[in-house]
Amino acid sequence: MVVGSDRMRRRLPRQVLEATLSAALFIGVAGCGGPESFTVSELCGRKVDSALVAPFLPKGETLKVDDGISAPEQPRCQVYVDGDLHLYVRGNIDKADFDILKATERSMRRLGNPAPARGIGDGATIADHGAMAVQACTYKGEKSQYILEIDWVDTPKNTAERREALEKLLRAHLPVIMEAEGCRP
């Protein structure tokens, strides 16, 4: 009995150690399946600084960037996290004599508190949940204008941060997407 007790004493710490290591490993593996931060380096088939898109993407399990809804002269893309739309980017080439900012004033109001943004294209509006910019350009030898719209934006939760992030993305992405579409300023 004494020999058996010694054996039990030697085994017990090893069993406790194994159980503790198993529990730690399980917790570590379970933690790996948690929400992730995502990186998006292309919008509508055009390169974009991933740091400019990151503020709009909450942590989650899955990321989907759908640019299959694009057409010639009309790049479109939607960015989903866990199946929820968090960013919708649309570009259009239109006639130069059409005042898109005035025409879309009502729809910009639905995005919350639209205000002009200086230094972006020929005119831009930033709202609480979206933004729009217009830039005159020449497309296929004709005077045109390029319109870039961004909406369905609810992240970051702080409105001032969200508006600032929208302005940065709009400012950086407008010239990139215009050039890619062949609409020269």
Side-chain angles (χ1 to χ4, degrees):
M1 200 93 171
V2 172
V3 173
S5 296
D6 285 339
R7 214 181 289 156
M8 283 297 282
R9 272 189 223 135
R10 277 186 253 151
R11 244 190 216 166
L12 184 60
R14 188 170 147 194
Q15 288 172 336
V16 170
L17 179 62
E18 287 173 0
T20 304
L21 287 174
S22 294
L25 181 61
F26 175 74
I27 291 168
V29 169
C32 291
E36 294 181 36
S37 296
F38 299 109
T39 300
V40 173
S41 58
E42 275 192 14
L43 283 176
C44 307
R46 309 299 178 236
K47 292 223 178 272
V48 66
D49 181 350
S50 60
L52 296 173
V53 180
F56 306 111
L57 306 177
K59 289 187 178 196
E61 301 294 326
T62 61
L63 172 73
K64 178 183 175 192
V65 179
D66 182 5
D67 62 358
I69 53 178
S70 291
E73 302 173 8
Q74 297 179 334
R76 307 267 188 274
C77 54
Q78 298 170 324
V79 181
Y80 297 86
V81 174
D82 295 339
D84 294 327
L85 182 61
H86 283 276
L87 190 64
Y88 186 15
V89 178
R90 295 181 302 282
N92 286 304
I93 298 171
D94 208 336
K95 296 186 187 312
D97 59 353
F98 181 65
D99 186 350
I100 189 69
L101 291 176
K102 185 156 182 73
T104 60
E105 191 175 324
R106 182 179 293 159
S107 65
M108 289 302 292
R109 275 198 303 264
R110 79 174 165 77
L111 296 174
N113 305 307
R118 297 191 193 316
I120 303 174
D122 294 327
T125 302
I126 307 291
D128 292 345
H129 299 279
M132 176 186 285
V134 178
Q135 172 73 53
C137 62
T138 302
Y139 181 70
K140 294 184 178 177
E142 293 184 27
K143 287 187 178 224
S144 301
Q145 64 181 344
Y146 198 88
I147 304 152
L148 178 59
E149 298 175 80
I150 304 169
D151 61 10
W152 282 89
V153 178
D154 289 326
T155 305
K157 293 301 178 192
N158 178 289
T159 303
E161 288 175 19
R162 188 170 54 244
R163 290 176 72 101
E164 183 180 335
L166 277 163
E167 184 173 342
K168 286 178 181 177
L169 178 59
L170 196 65
R171 183 180 310 280
H173 202 54
L174 179 63
V176 170
I177 202 164
M178 281 179 59
E179 182 178 331
E181 290 300 312
C183 204
R184 308 279 181 246

